[in-house]
Amino acid sequence: MTNFSAIFKHQTGVIPFIIAGDPDADTTVASVVAEAEAGAAIVELGVPFSDPVADGPVVKAGNQRAFAGGITVAKVFDIIARIRLPTQVPLVLVTYTNVPFVYGYAAFAKKAASFGVAGVVVPDLPHEEASDFRAALAGEGIDLITIVGPAEPERIKAVVAPATGFLTVFPAPPEPVLSQEIAAIRAASDLPVVVNAEVTQPQAVEAIAKVADGVQLNAAFVQLIADHADAKTVADYTKRLVSAVTTDK
């Protein structure tokens, strides 16, 4: 398993999210490498899905661009193989349940592990139904990253009990509710807490970094790539975000 606690130990991590194959494989590889070299703690890579119900219009449009470019699950793994040549940045896949279910939980986990994938997030996988995929991933040394939404303390305890890696707060409420929710999560688990945020500006990332261990930018990088599709622009933006949270804990 990846030691995510060590990754977040000294400073809040910036976690870009982009979609594999948006708009093409070359752009994805160049963007991930640029993000890693610019200081991203982790990169989350979306596996395109035809009906991403948990995502907003920016991410949905990115999925459609990837499909228009001919992306498949096999090509997603090809992209990861190419990413692994220049960088070992921790990669977390974001996928909807149907993708690994059809692929086969064990086969998907084994394939992901062969390229050093550190974790998998499944936004539409209910907590009560996650044990089979969690076990398949754990058997290959991969964490199933648990999403924690607004809930009563007892529910939070139940959700985080089997969790490994880190915890993701989604959806992210405004302050002061965000701080209260994170406090409730920390009371139930020692795992790092990452906020999945619909923010774009460094100042907003800096504010979240004061209460969280990591900030995952859900749509900002997808929109940036849609607007520019340029690795230098992606790197420069990543550096601005990393600078905004670079303070010792």
Side-chain angles (χ1 to χ4, degrees), residues 95-106 108 132-133:
T95 181
Y96 283 83
T97 307
N98 194 54
V99 174
F101 179 77
V102 171
Y103 199 96
Y105 284 165
F108 187 93
D132 288 348
F133 193 34

Side-chain angles (χ1 to χ4, degrees), residues 16-95:
F17 167 80
I18 64 172
I19 299 163
D22 173 25
D24 53 52
D26 289 347
T27 298
T28 300
V29 173
S31 296
V32 173
V33 172
E35 290 159 351
E37 292 178 348
I42 298 164
V43 175
E44 293 197 358
L45 190 63
V47 179
F49 189 63
S50 59
D51 187 23
V53 294
D55 295 305
V58 171
V59 175
K60 288 181 178 178
N63 278 273
Q64 292 305 312
R65 288 191 298 272
F67 282 125
I71 196 67
T72 63
V73 176
K75 290 180 180 180
V76 171
F77 285 121
D78 289 342
I79 287 171
I80 297 171
R82 291 177 58 191
I83 290 169
R84 277 293 169 245
L85 294 176
T87 180
Q88 294 300 309
V89 65
L91 290 176
V92 171
L93 297 183
V94 181
T95 181

